[in-house]
Amino acid sequence: MTIFERIIAREIPADIVFENEDAIAFRDLNPQAPIHVLVVPKKVIPRVGEAAARDQAMLGAVLLAAGETARKLGVCSTDAGFRLVINHGRDAGETVPHLHVHLLAGRSLKWPPG
Ligand code: AMP
């Protein structure tokens, strides 16, 4: 079981900000911005580059959940705004092999990212 599956199962605590039947969103333990939330599908695949056609609905559901989470957190405007990040593999900084989308907001974010 991944650590995120254990959060979904309520085996370990998390600061949950949004949940529906497809996904859960909770605050990152090591935030990189004033708002840093992980949006995690309940159906597990390790990483985005391993997704297949059968995962299409799940992938769409995760982005919809991210948008809904951003609206709920009050950052879904063109003034405030937010960034979504998906890390695949070591060079990108992936540490948890359970697909997840980072939602970052609450400060001006640099581009290009580091
Ligand atoms: P990544 O490096 O893209 O795989 O992202 C994994 C993220 O999960 C990191 O930003 C960690 O800080 C975060 N993380 C790991 N364990 C937990 C946890 N128990 N609760 C919340 N966030 C976590």
Side-chain angles (χ1 to χ4, degrees), residues 18-25 42 61 64-65 68:
F18 174 80
E19 183 171 18
N20 65 15
E21 64 178 358
D22 300 310
I24 189 167
K42 292 183 177 176
L64 289 171
E68 198 158 343

Side-chain angles (χ1 to χ4, degrees), residues 1-11 44 96-98:
M1 240 183 164
T2 67
I3 193 151
F4 295 164
E5 284 178 280
R6 297 184 65 202
I7 289 172
I8 292 165
R10 304 298 199 274
E11 285 180 15
V44 184
V96 179
H98 180 157

Side-chain angles (χ1 to χ4, degrees), residues 3-4 7 12-15 26-32 36 38 46 85-89 92-98 100-102:
I3 193 151
F4 295 164
I7 289 172
I12 57 173
D15 184 355
F26 50 87
R27 292 189 194 275
D28 197 294
L29 266 189
N30 182 24
Q32 303 301 312
H36 185 174
L38 301 173
V85 173
I86 300 175
N87 296 323
H88 175 125
E94 177 204 310
T95 57
V96 179
H98 180 157
H100 51 281
V101 177
H102 295 258

Side-chain angles (χ1 to χ4, degrees), residues 32 83 85 87 90-93 104 107 109-114:
Q32 303 301 312
R83 180 174 293 166
V85 173
N87 296 323
R90 187 189 55 202
D91 281 356
L104 298 150
R107 67 172 168 82
L109 297 162
K110 301 263 181 296
W111 192 264

